[in-house]
């Protein structure tokens, strides 16, 4: 289940989302207008996971966060959590809807999109550019990557 919450006062304008299903909780939080950060945690059972999710939600509500049922999950930026790598809970909802096989999230399989060194490096560099600039020209990014980052001649 995915839920979003916002908090706003004279000093703060923050978001906090939670996505929990089966035995995993993924929390995405930060200031509105930023990329934010992700935290993921796995639990021994679905019941423990749901209890912890409800506890986290209650804690945010107690701090003054308001549930935002119209939160636009499609217009967020999604990034991998380092220790998990590509993961459905940190991937864009449209990607998750179309790429349902584990293959697409596998960083160990050389034949997987992000499993090869080049695919993994490309994903990392794209994340870094977006983190710093928030806007990326996808048409010119391959040339930028090959010439400026990899130091090769672009053909």
């Amino acid at each position: 289940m995915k839920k979003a919450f916002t908090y706003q006062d004279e000093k703060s304008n923050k978001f906090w989302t939670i996505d929990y299903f089966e035995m995993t909780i993924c929390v995405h939080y930060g200031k509105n207008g930023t990329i934010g950060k992700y935290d993921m945690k796995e639990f021994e059972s679905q019941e423990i996971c749901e209890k912890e999710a409800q506890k986290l939600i209650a804690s945010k509500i107690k701090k003054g966060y308001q549930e935002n049922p119209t939160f636009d999950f499609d217009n967020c930026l999604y990034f991998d959590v380092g220790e998990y790598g590509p993961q459905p809970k940190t991937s864009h909802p449209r990607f998750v809807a179309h790429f349902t096989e584990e293959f697409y999230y596998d960083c160990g399989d050389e034949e997987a999109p992000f499993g090869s060194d080049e695919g993994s490096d490309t994903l990392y560099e794209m994340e870094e550019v977006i983190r710093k600039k928030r806007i990326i020209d996808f048409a010119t990014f391959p040339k930028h990557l090959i010439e400026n980052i990899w130091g090769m001649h672009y053909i």
Side-chain angles (χ1 to χ4, degrees), residues 2 13 23 27 42 56 60 67 75-76 83 85 90 109 113 116 119 128-129 134 145 154:
K2 256 184 175 177
N13 185 7
M23 298 185 297
V27 173
E42 292 181 2
L56 289 169
K60 288 298 176 186
E67 187 167 2
N75 283 319
C76 291
E83 65 191 75
T90 61
D109 182 348
S116 68
E128 287 304 303
V129 168
R134 276 195 54 93
L145 178 75
Y154 182 78

Side-chain angles (χ1 to χ4, degrees), residues 92-119:
H92 194 280
R94 289 188 205 137
F95 183 89
V96 174
H98 294 286
F99 301 98
T100 58
E101 301 295 322
E102 280 296 314
F103 168 78
Y104 294 102
Y105 303 99
D106 189 342
C107 288
D109 182 348
E110 282 288 321
E111 301 299 320
F114 305 114
S116 68
D117 289 342
E118 295 82 4

Side-chain angles (χ1 to χ4, degrees), residues 72-92:
D72 189 357
F73 287 99
D74 279 347
N75 283 319
C76 291
L77 293 174
Y78 292 84
F79 290 95
D80 301 327
V81 176
E83 65 191 75
Y84 290 93
Q87 220 272 359
K89 288 194 182 309
T90 61
S91 296
H92 194 280

